[in-house]
Amino acid sequence: MLSLTAVCKGYASSEGRVAVLDGVSLSLAAGETLALTGESGSGKSTLLHLCAGLDAPDAGRIAVAGRPMGRSDAERAALRRGTVGLVFQQFNLIPSLDVAANLAFQARLAERHDPRWQAELTAALDLGPLLSRYPEELSGGQQQRVAIGRTLAARPALVLADEPTGNLDETSGDKVMALMLRLVAETGAALLMVTHSPRLAAQLDRRVHLRGGRLS
Amino acid sequence: MTGLAVLLSHWARHKVQAALLLMGLALATALWTGVQAINAEARASYDFAAATMTQDRLPRLVAERITLADYVALRRAGWPVSPVIEGEAVIGGETLRLIGIEPLTLPPGERVEGNPADFLTGGTILSAAPLDDPRARRADLPPGIAVADIGVAAQILGPDISYLLLTQDRSPQDRPAPAGYALIRPATTDLSQLTESFHLNLAAFGYLAFGVGLFIVHSAIGLAFEQRRALFRTLRALGLSARALTGLLLAELLAFALVAGAAGVALGWLIAGALLPDVASTLRGLYGAEVGAELTLRPVWWLSGLGIAVLGMLGSAGQSLWRLWRLPPLAPAQPRAWARESAQAMRRQALAGALLLGLAAGLLALPGLWAGFGMLAGLLMGCALILPMLLASLTRIGQWLSRGAVAQWFWADTRQQLPGLSLALMALLLALAANIGVGTMVGSFRATFTAWIDQRLAADLYVEAADEADSARLLEWLGDRAVALPMIRTTDGGTGVVGMVDHPLFRRAWPLLRSLPDPWAHLDAGDVFVNEQLALRRHLSPGDRVEQGVIAGIYPDYGNPMPQVILSYDRHRALYPLPILRHALITDIPAAAIRAAFPRMVVQDRAAIREASVAVFERTFAVTAALNVLTLGVAALAIFASLLTLSALRLPQLAPVWAMGLRRSRLAWLEWLRTLALAALVWVLALPVGLALAWVLLAVVNVEAFGWRLPMRLFPGDWLRLGGLSLLAAGLAAALPVYRLARIAPAELLKVFARER
Amino acid sequence: MPRPGPFDFPADHGAHPAFRIEWWYVTATLTAADGTEYGAQWTLFRSAFAPHEAEGWASPQVWLGHAALTSSTRHLAAEKLARGGIGQAGVAAVPFEAWIDDWRLADRMAARGEGFAYDLMLRATGPVVAQGDGGYSVKSAAGQASRYYSQPFYAASGEILLDGRRIPVTGTAWMDHEWSSQPLAADQAGWDWFSLSFDDGARLMGFRLRGAQDFVSATWITADGRPEPQPPGALRLTPGRTATVAGRAVPVEWRLELPAKGLDITTRALNDQAWNALSVPYWEGPIRAEGSHPGRGYLEMTGYGEGAR
């Protein structure tokens, strides 16, 4: 589903070029869940962004669903619309739309809107009473649940999550995690999740650790 | 003063913002100051003219012909008269109004300055501007006027005396004037009263421009506050008290205000200097008022310019200063964007707007020019306040109507942006409405004016002779090749009095708005016609009485600020025995032939007069046209400033959509489209406001100010053109922020998801 | 000024445009039926910017008229200005007429002003008298002089109008005609001038020009019209009581002594406040003489500045 080969990414700084990712290779099969851990600032988010096509690597190859990552901005945007779904730590939702519209947005962008599937997700995530509210009126946990619902409503083949429970307290975080894992398993999507919590990482199939720009 | 240095360092990093803030305030101040400068210059000229031109304040005796012997005879009979020879003369290459006075017989205190011997016998000519003539001397006089001893004037203009000033109340007989003379009383209204409405119009424009400019200032200050919010919190946490911090910000703002104000005053000087010649010629054409075309630096306007810059800055910054005062040192993690108002606030504002509109409608019942302006202000402000809520409703409808996800998001997001853009959009609404309103008024005026003047100029030629002898020779020369109709008019106590010959030409050319049945017979019988201005000002109708008789008809008299009365020719001659110098000719003889035969005669054909009148008319409104364009520019600048303000705050709203697969270029295109859509919506809403404005201008303000009423005509072509212009302006204003968005590095967008704000 | 020949009448009654300054001066001491005393003044000045006359507005001559009426309680004055060459003011020699606007001097003397008017017939009862040395009147030791003659023997009768009341009056009048191009020396600030008609028929004209050194000149005129010019300084003028007039200290009582004629009189003004508040202000009013030679006359005092002696 996802394969990275010798991916390098760095940025310029006052001390010269700093390498964030230095020859990273990994692969993820369909339906598999992978946890990506590391110290803060170790480049986990950067790796995730590259997988999402939000940024381009300096060197190396990335392939999603068997196809290499497109070079052009248009191709990568198309990737994010249909194949890959993103869940971030915060600001996942569109502030100007209500919860119902947010839920349907990605699916409609990908032209895969399925009202029944969306209703199922809504029930599963317990979002019924929140449908007409706006994101700014929701708590952190509620926002993340909507984000998950929105991502999965489009039935992506690959879900990329960047510390999705980072802003939540332990109880809500655990609830959200459980929901997400269950639904991902139901849809059969692959999941790459960045986290700094070993406890959360343990709940996934596999685990890799990023240190000094390399995986171990 | 490290606190101040820290605050100011922000501007060093955000030079564009600083430039916007300064420019906005400077422009607004410039327009306001420019108008003030023009008005102050004119007012000073009127005061000066009133003080120095005393012969305009004394009553005078006129007759068909006044010779030197006539004058001496009157003096020897005990009449306290002083002779004046007056006329147009070319002196040193300049055409001036030459006034020849006899200083010995003028009332004490009216004496001319300088050496009396020199004046009486030296042939001195006094004028304000330097003249290329050995006799010329400088003196403190209004522009366009030259004063000399009557002997000098007699040499240049001819020996006949133009009129006699009555210098004392005493008359040696029981009658007010000697036999064969008519007494003309001076006008009771002075120039400053007459031209008040014109200057009021200019001043209103200045205030409008200033208000629009303040919108920019408000945006820039708000943005600076938002960007420095973290800095402020840090400073407070480090121990700077709220009062000290607010004081520092106040100091910073005042410094800006003074710099921008000074720049604005300088710019206003330039604007006024550029506009003054047009204003001066307008005033001369309309009112005969002489205003110098040179601008003098007067404390009244540059001091007030600086003052209003400071006041405007304080007013715009009030909200930010208040927020700063109340800023807690430790702010919670969840910010509220400064520009986001709740729906409730918008509703409150719309309610206030509706109230203002109601008030404006109520003012319809009140007479007076100030009520008219109040109506205008209420209408404009009311509509501006309602605008955000209207736009919100329209975008809601748009969202409801659209099908695709992106389209729905487009409208939803537009509505979300409204609070931040509302001020700029209100400014745009005001500018557009003003453009439409004034444009409609001018267009209606032009259409009616040209039709009316075509009707009134019915004769082929209009001639004016230098004296009675010339006039008689002309009539003889013409013989029966032309029908010559004498035209006589004079002024008495501020009212024009015209003597009309009973001829089909005049019957046709003088349209009457309202009249008694068979009005011309009434005129012959001794009744009078009055012009619209007189009738409106004194609330008179046909059948009412004025000083000169019963009103038989009311006629339109566009372009004339003074009241006017028409008498039958015979009655006029009996009351005012004046030389007949002007004639209207119905003839086939070309003007050139008459000019060749009579070089001293002034001959004008219909087309020339029409052209001159229309030119005066156009110049009058050239000033407003220039101001119109400037306010539109200021509104565009306001949009630009607001968009720039918002661009920094847009990222959290755009990042999720981008992450979900919408390309940056598409997002940028949508942003641009959004601005255009808003501008288009504002234009649509500005149309009824502008037309309402035009109606108020035509039906209330102009009637009160000038005394005549015009039908309102519509010019859809102008609206379309203005729509195009506003789209262009909005498009240009949005270009830079949109370009930056299209080019934004993904890293910037990604920071949204990770960084805490 | 060159010493000229005798006067050439009637031409010399008229104007002399070649000279810079000229005036025709009539003062009348009048009495009403009830014995109330009045005084009237009629003056026409001519001033030239250039020593010639021209027609029309180009004339360099300027005319100034002063008229005044005095009673013991009232003093009213009026002024008129006119330019020469146009006929608004002027003097014709034959027949003699001087006028400015509607003021007239011929065999009548008529003028009007704010609150007063007079119209008097004048009848000469004696000859014209040359002043000074055959009409050459020296004004200072340096030799400034003017041409000067008087007609001190007028009988006046007519009407005055004062504060709305018409009052028939009779009395005597005295006319002076004087012209020159430089009457005063640089140091001469002003003068005090007396004209007196004594009850015994004699007349006296005397003046004092105040300067670095005072110059006093006088002419005694016998009852039959013979002038007897007095040597300079023969007449002694002593100012007496001063009054505050228009903010100035002005002597309104005088003592005149002329030993050669046995004259020792004191004069008192009919109205202390006889001040002509005109463009050139001065004191001019009727006086009464008491002493060796009782009579009435006129006194003119010029050049008293504010706060001056």
Side-chain angles (χ1 to χ4, degrees), chain B residues 68 71-72 75-78 83 85 101-105 111 117 120-121 149-151 154 161 170, chain C residues 49 56-60 62-63 80-83 85-88 97 99 101-102 104 112-114:
Chain B
L68 183 51
Y71 157 67
V72 173
R75 287 291 306 195
R76 294 197 66 175
I85 296 182
I101 55 173
E102 211 289 88
L104 299 180
T105 46
R111 313 257 174 205
L120 286 177
T121 56
D149 180 58
I150 194 172
I161 294 173
R170 291 181 303 139
Chain C
F49 291 124
W57 301 111
S59 163
V62 172
W63 297 87
K80 279 194 181 278
L81 273 172
R83 54 206 286 170
I86 57 173
Q88 186 187 344
E97 189 184 6
W99 73 94
D101 285 350
D102 55 344
R104 204 154 266 96
R112 70 173 71 231
E114 193 78 40

Side-chain angles (χ1 to χ4, degrees), chain B residues 496-542:
Chain B
V497 187
V498 173
M500 184 90 70
V501 174
D502 191 355
H503 186 277
L505 182 84
F506 289 132
R507 287 200 186 211
R508 243 191 358 255
W510 243 262
L512 294 171
L513 294 170
R514 289 186 294 161
S515 66
L516 302 174
D518 199 1
W520 287 91
H522 278 276
L523 189 71
D524 285 336
D527 292 337
V528 302
F529 293 160
V530 298
N531 69 355
E532 193 181 359
Q533 288 83 313
L534 195 154
L536 270 177
R537 286 232 180 83
R538 287 154 60 168
H539 308 285
L540 298 171
S541 298

Side-chain angles (χ1 to χ4, degrees), chain B residues 664-746:
Chain B
R664 282 166 301 161
S665 52
R666 183 118 186 260
L667 284 175
W669 164 249
L670 285 173
E671 285 291 288
W672 199 66
L673 202 61
R674 184 174 289 120
T675 312
L676 288 179
L678 281 175
L681 281 176
V682 170
W683 171 73
V684 166
L685 292 173
L687 279 178
V689 179
L691 290 175
L693 189 67
W695 184 86
V696 172
L697 281 173
L698 284 170
V700 180
V701 171
N702 260 309
V703 169
E704 290 290 336
F706 295 116
W708 63 81
R709 193 180 175 129
L710 296 162
M712 183 158 118
R713 308 201 192 186
L714 301 179
F715 304 92
D718 271 353
W719 307 343
L720 288 177
R721 193 177 44 85
L722 198 62
L725 254 179
S726 60
L727 282 179
L728 182 67
L732 281 176
L736 183 62
V738 160
Y739 178 76
R740 287 187 7 184
L741 178 62
R743 284 258 173 275
I744 197 172

Side-chain angles (χ1 to χ4, degrees), chain C residues 73-265:
Chain C
T73 53
R74 305 275 281 135
H75 178 87
L76 299 160
E79 181 177 71
K80 279 194 181 278
L81 273 172
R83 54 206 286 170
I86 57 173
Q88 186 187 344
V91 176
V94 180
F96 175 74
E97 189 184 6
W99 73 94
I100 179 167
D101 285 350
D102 55 344
W103 294 359
R104 204 154 266 96
L105 173 68
D107 54 356
R108 277 172 67 206
M109 143 185 175
R112 70 173 71 231
E114 193 78 40
F116 77 94
Y118 54 75
D119 193 349
L120 309 167
M121 297 294 299
L122 299 173
R123 190 170 53 84
T125 59
V128 168
V129 173
Q131 296 283 357
D133 178 9
Y136 187 79
S137 172
V138 177
K139 295 290 195 282
S140 78
Q144 266 84 16
S146 65
R147 302 226 68 195
Y148 181 12
Y149 70 84
S150 303
Q151 170 45 282
F153 300 101
Y154 274 124
S157 74
E159 212 172 58
I160 64 172
L161 179 70
L162 184 61
D163 292 334
R165 281 183 19 253
R166 303 192 103 85
I167 306 166
V169 289
T170 57
T172 58
W174 179 311
M175 187 191 89
D176 278 345
H177 180 192
E178 189 165 353
W179 62 98
S180 120
S181 280
Q182 196 188 23
L184 290 182
D187 65 312
Q188 289 176 324
W191 63 80
D192 313 299
W193 173 94
F194 291 82
S195 68
L196 290 158
S197 301
F198 300 118
D199 292 345
D200 65 5
R203 305 289 199 255
L204 173 67
M205 189 288 295
F207 62 80
R208 175 178 77 157
L209 278 164
R210 302 189 308 276
Q213 274 207 301
D214 290 351
F215 185 86
V216 181
S217 174
T219 306
W220 182 272
I221 305 166
T222 62
D224 54 358
R226 242 179 332 105
E228 290 172 11
Q230 304 296 310
L235 176 68
R236 259 209 315 277
L237 298 174
T238 317
R241 176 178 69 88
T242 60
T244 309
V245 184
R248 298 148 219 255
V250 176
V252 292
E253 284 183 7
W254 290 79
R255 182 167 174 205
L256 282 74
E257 291 161 278
L258 188 59
K261 295 292 176 180
L263 179 80
D264 187 351
I265 55 172

Side-chain angles (χ1 to χ4, degrees), chain B residues 592-616:
Chain B
I594 302 185
R595 274 195 211 107
F598 295 90
R600 283 206 311 165
M601 190 96 39
V602 177
V603 185
Q604 285 172 311
D605 61 40
R606 183 191 323 164
I609 300 183
R610 185 184 187 284
E611 206 179 287
S613 309
V614 172
V616 169

Side-chain angles (χ1 to χ4, degrees), chain B residues 135-501:
Chain B
R135 299 169 294 182
R137 302 265 181 287
R138 301 287 299 275
D140 231 359
L141 288 172
I145 306 271
V147 173
D149 180 58
I150 194 172
V152 176
Q155 280 174 346
I156 299 177
L157 298 172
D160 279 354
I161 294 173
S162 308
Y163 53 86
L164 300 169
L165 293 173
L166 205 57
T167 57
Q168 285 169 353
D169 272 338
R170 291 181 303 139
S171 108
Q173 302 164 11
D174 270 334
R175 43 199 314 176
Y181 292 85
L183 177 67
I184 307 277
R185 285 156 296 151
T188 42
T189 47
D190 57 35
L191 271 177
S192 49
Q193 281 179 300
L194 264 183
T195 55
E196 185 187 330
S197 50
F198 179 83
H199 291 293
L200 215 57
N201 273 311
L202 275 185
F205 250 112
Y207 281 110
L208 179 69
F210 188 73
V212 170
L214 281 186
F215 285 131
I216 303 178
V217 175
H218 188 109
S219 300
I221 294 179
L223 175 63
F225 176 83
E226 190 52 31
Q227 287 178 329
R228 295 189 284 184
R229 186 190 279 269
L231 173 64
F232 292 148
R233 265 194 255 119
T234 310
L235 285 174
R236 295 274 277 117
L238 288 178
L240 207 55
S241 73
R243 189 194 311 200
L245 187 57
T246 314
L248 280 179
L249 192 61
L250 194 62
E252 177 194 65
L253 290 174
L254 281 177
F256 267 108
L258 287 174
V259 169
V265 167
L267 197 58
W269 164 284
L270 287 176
I271 294 178
L275 288 178
L276 192 57
D278 271 333
V279 171
S281 63
T282 301
L283 287 168
R284 191 182 308 123
L286 272 183
Y287 302 99
E290 283 297 339
V291 172
E294 291 277 312
L295 197 59
T296 344
L297 195 65
R298 291 169 204 276
V300 64
W301 57 261
W302 65 258
L303 267 182
S304 62
L306 278 180
I308 207 166
V310 170
L311 276 178
M313 171 69 96
L314 287 178
S316 309
Q319 195 181 21
S320 293
L321 284 171
W322 171 252
R323 260 199 242 107
L324 181 61
W325 178 262
R326 312 276 277 146
L327 182 73
L330 293 172
Q334 183 67 274
R336 289 190 64 85
W338 74 281
R340 189 181 315 163
E341 300 167 39
S342 61
Q344 216 183 8
M346 209 189 300
R347 265 198 293 276
R348 270 205 302 266
Q349 190 177 306
L351 196 63
L355 272 174
L356 270 178
L357 281 180
L359 208 71
L363 280 176
L364 263 175
L366 286 177
L369 193 58
W370 280 105
F373 278 123
M375 230 186 295
L376 284 179
L379 175 69
L380 286 177
M381 280 317 295
C383 290
L385 288 176
I386 294 181
L387 181 70
M389 194 160 122
L390 270 181
L391 286 176
S393 310
L394 283 175
T395 51
R396 212 184 292 271
I397 294 176
Q399 189 181 355
W400 185 73
L401 282 178
S402 42
R403 291 285 145 234
V406 177
Q408 282 184 346
W409 170 73
F410 175 81
W411 287 112
D413 211 42
T414 307
R415 192 168 67 253
Q416 171 116 76
Q417 271 204 288
L418 278 179
L421 282 177
S422 66
L423 283 178
L425 292 173
M426 286 201 272
L428 182 63
L429 177 77
L430 288 180
L432 285 176
N435 259 289
I436 294 174
V438 173
T440 305
M441 178 188 83
V442 173
S444 303
F445 207 149
R446 186 183 289 115
T448 311
F449 182 81
T450 45
W452 167 81
I453 209 173
D454 280 333
Q455 195 182 8
R456 194 133 134 174
L457 289 176
D460 298 307
L461 297 173
Y462 293 85
V463 295
E464 179 167 355
D467 54 44
E468 280 241 306
D470 254 7
S471 200
R473 272 200 294 275
L474 172 70
L475 293 177
E476 212 188 289
W477 183 83
L478 287 169
D480 49 1
R481 291 184 289 164
V483 175
L485 302 171
M487 295 170 51
I488 42 178
R489 66 175 56 205
T490 182
T491 344
D492 192 356
T495 307
V497 187
V498 173
M500 184 90 70
V501 174

Side-chain angles (χ1 to χ4, degrees), chain A residues 47-100:
Chain A
L47 183 58
L48 201 76
H49 297 158
L50 291 175
C51 295
L54 290 171
D55 207 349
D58 293 339
R61 286 195 311 276
I62 307 180
V64 177
R67 281 204 299 275
M69 183 79 67
R71 211 70 66 79
S72 76
D73 192 44
E75 289 167 318
R76 287 186 285 165
L79 187 74
R80 288 201 302 283
R81 273 205 296 275
T83 319
V84 175
L86 293 161
V87 181
F88 291 107
Q89 195 174 358
Q90 59 181 359
F91 287 106
N92 286 289
L93 304 178
I94 301 172
S96 49
L97 296 175
D98 61 18
V99 166

